[in-house]
Amino acid sequence: MLGDRLSHLRYVYQRQGLRTTVRKVITDGMAKRAYSWWSYQRFAKQYPQDVIFIASLPKSGSTWVAKLFASCHGFAQYTPVKWHTEQRDLSHDLYPEAWDEMRQRLAVIKGHTAATAVNLDLLHASGLKYFITVRDPRDALISAYWYIKQSPYHPQCKLANRLTLNEFIEHKLATGEFRNEYVDWIDAWLDGRDPSRSMVLLYQELLSDTEAVFRSCLKFLGFPTTTAEQAAIIQRNSFKNLTHRNPGEEQTQSFLRKGVAGEWQQVFTPAQQSEAWQSCCHVCEALHLPSPRESLIWD
């Protein structure tokens, strides 16, 4: 376990530098440990489960969802120590000790975990209710481009900085990476999840009616909160409050770049819309997302 923690800190240092590493040791290693013990003693009895797990593709709303859950009394975000132990390991695969590691904590865990047989079995064995946050894969690809450009540790950072946005989209479509990295991930979760113990959270629905979606999540978990508490949590974690920008006001270097849905309709060329649809139509139809012919740009 100590070796895993040191490896994780080495990864943080390589990715974000000494200042962030020192701050992580102090906040995550000392302050958060004390807080987790105190909050667990005070609040744990009122919650049916003490770990909230969120699976998500990058740039699909999981950071926002995790912040909402972590604002519930006593909860905080945690990362299992075996995740991100290697600089290019973005798999976020589960392992049996992950749940033991969060014992006596009220923990929110999010990861880009794929719906492999092993991961699904471990989730089933945990007995937890869990969430899958999904986004229109065409929008996720656009947001990923801007994120990858700002992420030197990412294996495609140089590629993204060499290509324009439309060239990057063209590359992802031509190589099949769009389907392999985005569509297949969503498809596997929709097919493999346990409907009785999981909820699919669609980014577009979160944007359009955050209060209703968050209320449904809390009801699904059996968590006790008042309407006033829910409203306060949503306000605290709104795009405007976190960025001091209105949704749609873009800042390409920010992790919270734009906060909108349907951007692919203005960015993808008609040919790219058609090609992408061939790969993602079954997923989009399952999630009730628009086809190219339903978008304004097509007409």
Side-chain angles (χ1 to χ4, degrees), residues 15-298:
R15 177 182 174 183
Q16 297 176 322
L18 180 61
R19 181 178 299 180
T20 300
T21 306
V22 172
R23 186 166 63 245
K24 187 173 184 65
V25 169
I26 295 173
T27 58
D28 289 3
M30 299 177 184
K32 188 176 279 189
R33 185 174 300 176
Y35 171 78
S36 67
W37 180 88
W38 174 83
S39 62
Y40 188 86
Q41 302 304 315
R42 180 173 180 184
F43 298 110
K45 291 182 179 179
Q46 72 186 51
Y47 297 117
Q49 66 182 54
D50 51 12
V51 175
I52 300 172
F53 177 74
I54 306 161
S56 176
L57 276 177
K59 308 305 295 175
S60 295
S62 63
T63 297
W64 181 19
V65 173
K67 284 180 178 294
L68 291 172
F69 284 130
S71 297
C72 294
H73 293 308
F75 274 88
Q77 287 186 242
Y78 294 91
T79 302
V81 295
K82 289 186 179 179
W83 285 3
H84 286 318
T85 55
E86 297 297 334
Q87 191 168 13
R88 296 192 177 188
D89 178 14
L90 301 177
S91 61
H92 291 197
D93 285 332
L94 297 174
Y95 54 99
E97 298 83 5
W99 315 124
D100 294 336
E101 191 182 322
M102 299 300 153
R103 187 172 297 161
Q104 293 192 328
R105 295 180 182 178
L106 295 175
V108 179
I109 305 172
K110 71 179 183 73
H112 307 315
T113 307
T116 63
V118 172
N119 288 332
L120 290 170
D121 286 345
L122 287 171
L123 267 177
H124 177 75
S126 73
L128 295 173
K129 292 183 176 181
Y130 56 94
F131 297 89
I132 305 108
T133 63
V134 297
R135 186 179 189 178
D136 188 314
R138 297 161 292 188
D139 278 341
L141 178 56
I142 294 169
S143 287
Y145 168 76
W146 295 108
Y147 174 68
I148 292 169
K149 281 172 66 75
Q150 310 299 325
S151 305
Y153 67 92
H154 196 285
Q156 289 195 325
C157 179
K158 291 182 179 179
L159 175 69
N161 279 285
R162 190 170 68 247
L163 302 178
T164 65
L165 173 55
N166 277 105
E167 288 171 343
F168 186 79
I169 293 169
E170 195 65 40
H171 168 81
K172 288 291 191 179
L173 292 172
T175 59
E177 292 176 10
F178 172 70
R179 184 183 183 98
N180 294 337
E181 296 173 5
Y182 295 86
V183 182
D184 289 350
W185 189 98
I186 297 172
D187 198 27
W189 271 111
L190 294 179
D191 183 59
R193 73 184 184 94
D194 180 350
S196 67
R197 304 202 65 82
S198 64
M199 267 187 78
V200 176
L201 304 181
L202 185 59
Y203 182 74
Q204 286 84 334
E205 293 178 352
L206 276 162
L207 286 176
S208 63
D209 197 344
T210 310
E211 184 177 349
V213 174
F214 187 49
R215 184 169 60 247
S216 297
C217 292
L218 296 174
K219 183 178 180 180
F220 173 68
L221 291 170
F223 280 17
T225 59
T226 66
T227 302
E229 288 172 337
Q230 294 173 23
I233 289 172
I234 292 169
Q235 174 61 28
R236 190 184 316 146
N237 295 285
S238 68
F239 182 87
K240 186 171 184 177
N241 194 52
L242 292 174
T243 65
H244 306 292
R245 290 179 279 123
N246 291 316
E249 294 180 9
E250 185 176 31
Q251 189 175 102
T252 57
Q253 294 183 334
S254 172
F255 181 81
L256 303 174
R257 180 181 61 93
K258 200 170 184 179
V260 298
E263 189 178 8
W264 65 270
Q265 299 178 12
Q266 287 74 47
V267 172
F268 280 53
T269 66
Q272 289 171 344
Q273 289 190 30
S274 179
E275 187 175 354
W277 183 250
Q278 293 178 34
S279 296
C280 69
C281 60
H282 59 293
V283 165
C284 292
E285 287 171 351
L287 297 172
H288 306 292
L289 296 171
S291 70
R293 294 190 180 277
E294 293 171 317
S295 71
L296 294 177
I297 195 170
W298 189 271

